[in-house]
Amino acid sequence: MGFPVQRMRRLRVNESIRSMVRETELSLKGIIYPLFVVYGSDKRVPIPSMPGIYQFSLDRLAEELEEVKALNIPAVLLFGIPEHKDALGSSAYQADGVIQNSIKLIKDKYPDITVITDVCLCEYTDHGHCGVVERDGYVNNDATLELLAQEALSHAEAGCDMVAPSDMMDGRIGFIRKSLDDNGFNNLPIMAYSAKYCSSFYGPFRDAADSAPQFGDRKTYQMDPSNINEALREVALDIEEGADIVMVKPALPYLDVIRAVKEKFAYPTAAYNVSGEYSMIKAAALQGWLDEDRVMVESLISIKRAGAEMIITYFAKDLARLLRSR
Ligand code: PBG
């Protein structure tokens, strides 16, 4: 039974009918806004490659949170840029580090905003890698686990609502889970960057977070963009080790991975709409080549349609403003 009995255009005839059969809805539910907190005071530093995104010092972070609150954005993901970097990233796990202090400030003044923290060492190490570097440049897996667990625990102790390990060391979810549980944080969820690819779409982020590797690349720990079976194995391991939410990153070039993860595991799934995905749209819009709002909405819808219920996106404020104006 096909044409002329079937006419697909019948249900496209006007907005009212189109909206009745709409399968995917964009809302602020599950939208997570990344924030960069930098050491020092009186800073609101624009990131040139990410128009609209800034690094804030702690004393000016509230300016941004007022907007986040007014726009009803439910959650933020925190990244820290410390004053002091060293080989072991020791500023990452200080009780009064930039992130630990940010958590306290946000939970004190804005208790309703969910605070998720990125757990990684690359912003804190002088070599810019996500773990402990051996003499030959290789990142030592097991030595890194201890430091990541300390970092996650310090975030928990400061009062965060969720930790999100992004380092891609083997075994880190189990290691962090155990350390949280041993210290009374058995109710603190872990959002695992499970399928994190070694992507060139992170370029602008590394300016924002001052975290570019000083030598080599991240190919020995982040995933090869060619692989999807491997992504499923990564997700399976993270779930086994105690991940509550699994993540695919980046989002748009990996929609197939999001779909496969959702279908196979039926777990709460997040996708990271990364810096390069944001910058491409902003850059084209600035040239007048694309309609920014429409392209943003279409991109975010595609990520949801693929199967992610949470989206980490630099567009969070833009989306909130757009939804409000509709
Ligand atoms: C830290 C981390 C990175 C991103 C999130 N956490 C950078 C990297 O792995 O190099 C990238 C986010 C983005 O591009 O927006 N490891």
Side-chain angles (χ1 to χ4, degrees):
M1 185 181 61
F3 179 83
V5 175
Q6 289 287 354
R7 285 184 185 268
M8 298 305 287
R9 293 180 59 192
R10 286 184 199 126
L11 298 181
R12 293 178 196 149
V13 69
N14 61 39
E15 175 54 22
S16 172
I17 291 182
R18 285 193 296 273
S19 71
M20 288 164 76
V21 296
R22 190 158 290 143
E23 300 171 35
T24 314
E25 204 74 59
L26 210 47
S27 74
L28 289 180
K29 244 189 279 166
I31 293 289
I32 302 165
Y33 182 49
L35 286 178
F36 299 99
V37 192
V38 63
Y39 69 88
S41 58
D42 197 24
K43 290 185 188 164
R44 182 176 181 268
V45 186
I47 316 299
S49 54
M50 300 179 73
I53 302 296
Y54 300 81
Q55 297 174 338
F56 291 92
S57 53
L58 193 64
D59 57 334
R60 295 192 62 177
L61 190 57
E63 293 171 25
E64 188 72 350
L65 289 157
E66 284 299 326
E67 282 196 49
V68 168
K69 183 180 161 191
L71 289 166
N72 278 322
I73 294 167
V76 294
L77 174 63
L78 300 184
F79 294 94
I81 301 112
E83 181 163 22
H84 170 72
K85 299 193 186 218
D86 59 32
L88 297 179
S90 52
S91 300
Y93 32 92
Q94 269 170 227
D96 64 344
V98 61
I99 288 302
Q100 292 78 359
N101 286 340
S102 304
I103 297 166
K104 285 178 221 154
L105 177 128
I106 303 173
K107 289 318 296 186
D108 184 39
K109 284 197 177 161
Y110 308 92
D112 296 339
I113 298 176
T114 294
V115 175
I116 310 169
T117 57
D118 187 84
V119 175
C120 195
L121 294 176
C122 61
E123 297 116 73
Y124 304 92
T125 51
D126 49 13
H127 46 70
H129 277 287
C130 304
V132 178
V133 173
E134 293 170 358
R135 224 170 307 146
D136 61 1
Y138 190 74
V139 173
N140 183 307
N141 193 86
D142 299 12
T144 302
L145 297 180
E146 187 56 53
L147 304 183
L148 293 168
Q150 275 185 52
E151 182 181 6
L153 186 58
S154 73
H155 295 172
E157 281 166 347
C160 73
D161 297 297
M162 195 182 294
V163 291
S166 71
D167 52 283
M168 288 301 277
M169 297 301 122
D170 286 324
R172 90 269 205 222
I173 300 302
F175 209 88
I176 290 171
R177 183 73 271 160
K178 178 159 189 335
S179 140
L180 291 173
D181 289 356
D182 287 349
N183 288 279
F185 294 102
N186 48 340
N187 261 329
L188 194 86
I190 299 179
M191 172 189 273
Y193 286 70
S194 301
K196 177 172 176 181
Y197 286 88
C198 191
S199 171
S200 299
F201 284 94
Y202 307 152
F205 171 94
R206 291 175 186 171
D207 296 339
D210 188 23
S211 66
Q214 298 304 301
F215 63 88
D217 52 40
R218 304 207 204 286
K219 286 182 182 159
T220 68
Y221 42 104
Q222 298 181 349
M223 284 183 48
D224 182 339
S226 306
N227 298 349
I228 185 164
N229 292 330
E230 186 186 350
L232 299 177
R233 292 171 60 211
E234 281 282 7
V235 171
L237 285 168
D238 282 359
I239 289 175
E240 217 174 283
E241 290 175 31
D244 301 282
I245 296 169
V246 294
M247 193 200 300
V248 175
K249 175 183 171 193
L252 294 173
Y254 299 87
L255 294 176
D256 57 330
V257 181
I258 298 173
R259 163 96 341 228
V261 165
K262 191 69 197 180
E263 274 177 2
K264 184 159 171 112
F265 300 100
Y267 243 65
T269 304
Y272 201 138
N273 180 223
V274 302
S275 56
E277 299 173 52
Y278 174 83
S279 299
M280 284 196 301
I281 292 176
K282 286 280 174 184
L286 280 170
Q287 297 275 353
W289 293 346
L290 283 177
D291 180 323
E292 181 177 335
D293 285 348
R294 287 168 190 258
V295 172
M296 165 185 73
V297 166
E298 192 174 331
S299 304
L300 297 174
I301 281 269
S302 76
I303 298 168
K304 278 209 135 173
R305 196 187 59 234
E309 48 278 290
M310 284 152 280
I311 306 177
I312 301 163
T313 181
Y314 303 97
F315 284 118
K317 290 199 304 179
D318 296 332
L319 175 68
R321 281 193 207 100
L322 186 72
L323 292 175
R324 182 160 290 188
S325 73
R326 277 180 172 174

